[in-house]
Amino acid sequence: MPLRWSHALLSFAASALLLTSCKKEYSPDEVLPVSYSPSIVVGSNNQVLYGINPTTGEKNWELGLSFPVKASPILYKGSVYLVSSFRDSVIKINAKTGEVTKRFSFGGGVGTVSTPIADGNLLYIGSSNGRLYAIDTGTGIEKWSYATNGPIESSPTIHGNNIYVATTVGSVYRFEKTAGNSSANTSIPASPTWNLDVPGARFVSSPAVAEPYMFVGSISDSNMYCIYLDTAVVRWSYKALGAIRSSPAAYGGTCIFGANDFRVYCLDTTIDPVNGMFTPEERWVDSLYSEVTSSPYASNQMVYVGCKDYKLYALRIINGSVKWTFATNGIITSSPVLYGSSVYIGSYDKNLYALDTLRGTLKWKYNVNGQIDCSPVLDDFSKLTGYNSQISGYTN
């Protein structure tokens, strides 16, 4: 054999031996490790829940349902919780695989459009039957419930050791998270620590909290209310020119919300009293081209909000000027979610969009074959609560 061929064979053998020694050996019975990617979770009126890769826009999983998705899902401790719009029931879903891990029912079976919220081992849900429920996330057992004076369409908000919830007949309640007898299957709950009846108000937007205040908007009298957390006294009210369905964002000393008068408002919440009276001051008001029922998302001195004029707007918090807009082919009632350099929004054109936060350019879109009312939520395995829209009550 020629010398050059001998050297080549020896070199090939040495390389093969090196590669073999570096390769991990698995026994025939050993289960290979499973790799999961993050998911942005969204549903629509086509009765399917999707988990979509937030970077690539590729589908990770889908789950067929028996109801259209109205209330936004929430993420908590690796599970997606979704309530039925037809009956008082909850589906618990593995956020990585889309597999149902538990189903449980509660209440009178009338259904709900309120997005739930979770803390500790309890899931808090407002129902159209007017009750607030605390349900064990592991067993599905109702720990306590409380009958408010009207239907609950807004989502509960958690702040510190308290839960805040508003009703469609103009009342706001504060409960301690430990209310009720948590050792029993069902219980007679403790009374709320306070409740406030606001004459003429009807609430469907979720309360937002920024110490020492709470903000909540009304659809009947078009007022945004600022309420002291400790005393349940109204500090001020601000009258918009249309119903407020948009859940406010409390950010950097401001209260930001949309209204049915085609406007987005930014109010200064740090004002001092004049002659003992508080009057909110407008930092800016932007006029758009249709109703704003989408809840704004505020981050990094920007506000992202959808509009029924088919567009998502990126507004500068300092003065409300438009940095960019992105036009879809349908109205937007869904609320945006921000993650990294992307903002995600659903549209009635049946698409979920991922947009660049700097320029508003399209990264990808995914057709879910149904009009999107609910807001998306994102799980990257780093937070117990994932990344939620303003409507969830987690964002503040």
Side-chain angles (χ1 to χ4, degrees), residues 3-270:
L3 183 61
R4 65 177 180 273
W5 285 105
S6 177
H7 288 167
L9 286 173
L10 287 172
S11 177
F12 175 79
S15 298
L17 181 62
L18 179 61
L19 289 172
T20 302
S21 66
C22 293
K23 183 179 179 181
K24 178 173 174 60
E25 296 291 336
Y26 290 95
S27 71
D29 297 327
E30 187 174 355
V31 178
L32 296 176
V34 179
S35 177
Y36 297 103
S37 66
S39 287
I40 185 161
V41 180
V42 70
S44 72
N45 66 0
N46 77 336
Q47 303 189 24
V48 178
L49 191 70
Y50 294 89
I52 301 167
N53 186 299
T55 302
T56 66
E58 298 176 348
K59 182 176 69 177
N60 289 336
W61 52 261
E62 68 175 68
L63 174 65
L65 306 167
S66 59
F67 55 88
V69 180
K70 299 294 184 183
S72 301
I74 66 154
L75 273 157
Y76 188 64
K77 294 184 178 180
S79 292
V80 179
Y81 294 89
L82 187 66
V83 296
S84 170
S85 55
F86 288 164
R87 60 188 64 86
D88 286 334
S89 62
V90 180
I91 302 175
K92 183 179 180 180
I93 303 155
N94 185 314
K96 294 179 179 178
T97 65
E99 297 173 322
V100 175
T101 57
K102 196 168 189 62
R103 299 176 188 266
F104 41 91
S105 299
F106 60 95
V110 298
T112 184
V113 294
S114 171
T115 296
I117 197 165
D119 186 80
N121 294 318
L122 294 179
L123 185 71
Y124 302 95
I125 308 172
S127 172
S128 298
N129 69 9
R131 300 190 80 92
L132 177 68
Y133 294 90
I135 298 172
D136 190 291
T137 57
T139 64
I141 292 174
E142 179 186 317
K143 292 298 185 180
W144 60 264
S145 69
Y146 184 88
T148 68
N149 65 350
I152 300 172
E153 293 186 14
S154 70
S155 303
T157 294
I158 289 179
H159 181 74
N161 293 318
N162 297 302
I163 306 159
Y164 300 87
V165 68
T167 74
T168 61
V169 296
S171 295
V172 184
Y173 295 80
R174 183 174 81 171
F175 299 87
E176 291 184 355
K177 288 186 294 187
T178 56
N181 178 8
S182 62
S183 63
N185 288 353
T186 58
S187 61
I188 300 173
S191 298
T193 53
W194 58 250
N195 68 281
L196 171 67
D197 297 324
V198 183
R202 294 178 58 209
F203 302 120
V204 299
S205 75
S206 305
V209 174
E211 288 279 3
Y213 315 119
M214 182 187 71
F215 306 95
V216 62
S218 169
I219 60 172
S220 53
D221 60 11
S222 304
N223 278 324
M224 176 60 65
Y225 290 92
C226 175
I227 302 167
Y228 283 106
L229 292 176
D230 290 337
T231 62
V233 172
V234 175
R235 183 189 189 217
W236 52 251
S237 64
Y238 173 90
K239 194 172 188 64
L241 300 179
I244 302 172
R245 293 182 176 274
S246 169
S247 298
Y251 180 85
T254 65
C255 174
I256 306 166
F257 61 94
N260 283 7
D261 59 9
F262 298 15
R263 291 178 171 89
V264 179
Y265 294 83
C266 180
L267 306 181
D268 192 326
T269 64
T270 63

